[in-house]
Amino acid sequence: MREETHERLKEIKRSFRSMMNGPVSQSMRDKGTAYKINWGVAFPALKRMADTYGKDYELAIELWKEDIRECKILATLIMPPAEMLPEIVDIWMEQTPTQEMVEMAALNLYQYLDFAPVLAYRWMASDKVFEQIAAYQILGRLFMRKMEPNERGINEFLDQAVVALQSEHMGVRHVAYNCIIRFADMGEMYETIARKAVKSAGLADI
């Protein structure tokens, strides 16, 4: 690690103490959100901090290594998407400790990767809850940006999403439902296809 990065990391970690929100931190612990250290810092404050430091690959890598909630969130904001390699994504996903962090990584970083659609479709078919949640978070954002899948992609998405709607995990059901809504919002044709897929599975209409 370069000395400059080391100093920045120390500076960031020191700054969290003055930004600590005790009640939020305690509430997250009470709900089972486990981090070694959790300062309870609000996302807007972390976003402003990330804007100050700018995109920095080496700093993002070092921040992610810390078992501190705020460091990991900052890492997802500071990592330059163009420099994020697939093997690093896999490592980060394996090391993701909570659903909150899955959602942060997907929304702040993964949706902007050049290989985001490939990543989403791979994770969508996974049996791992966090990977499924990330997949639908990514796809939902891509649909919101009117990135339309091809026919094969549509069929694969709806087949997997309908299964996800019946998942035992509430988080998976929730993101899959929201993702189908985003898909339907792309236009009348997409809405019709989505309604038909959901209805044929015997599920409640979207």
Side-chain angles (χ1 to χ4, degrees), residues 41-60:
V41 179
F43 179 73
L46 295 171
K47 182 70 168 63
R48 288 192 295 271
M49 187 183 291
D51 291 341
T52 299
Y53 284 97
K55 299 297 184 186
D56 186 326
Y57 176 87
E58 186 177 2
L59 182 58

Side-chain angles (χ1 to χ4, degrees), residues 125-180:
S126 169
D127 59 358
K128 297 177 180 177
V129 166
F130 282 0
E131 291 186 356
Q132 292 178 46
I133 289 173
Y136 292 112
Q137 289 278 10
I138 293 167
L139 285 175
R141 289 291 164 155
L142 297 182
F143 295 153
M144 288 173 71
R145 303 204 314 255
K146 306 299 182 186
M147 294 181 67
E148 304 173 17
N150 58 26
E151 184 178 353
R152 179 182 173 187
I154 289 172
N155 292 334
E156 187 176 345
F157 162 66
L158 289 173
D159 285 349
Q160 295 287 359
V162 164
V163 172
L165 288 177
Q166 302 165 75
S167 170
E168 295 179 359
H169 193 280
M170 185 174 69
V172 172
R173 295 198 305 271
H174 180 71
V175 292
Y177 178 82
N178 285 342
C179 194
I180 291 174

Side-chain angles (χ1 to χ4, degrees), residues 3 6 20 25 30 38 69-70 79 84 95 103 110 124 132 143 154 164 170 178 203-204:
E3 183 61 28
H6 180 65
M20 180 181 181
S25 177
D30 292 345
N38 177 359
R69 171 182 173 268
E70 288 72 18
M79 173 63 77
M84 185 69 161
Q95 296 173 346
E103 294 172 352
Y110 298 157
M124 194 168 51
Q132 292 178 46
F143 295 153
I154 289 172
M170 185 174 69
N178 285 342
L203 301 172

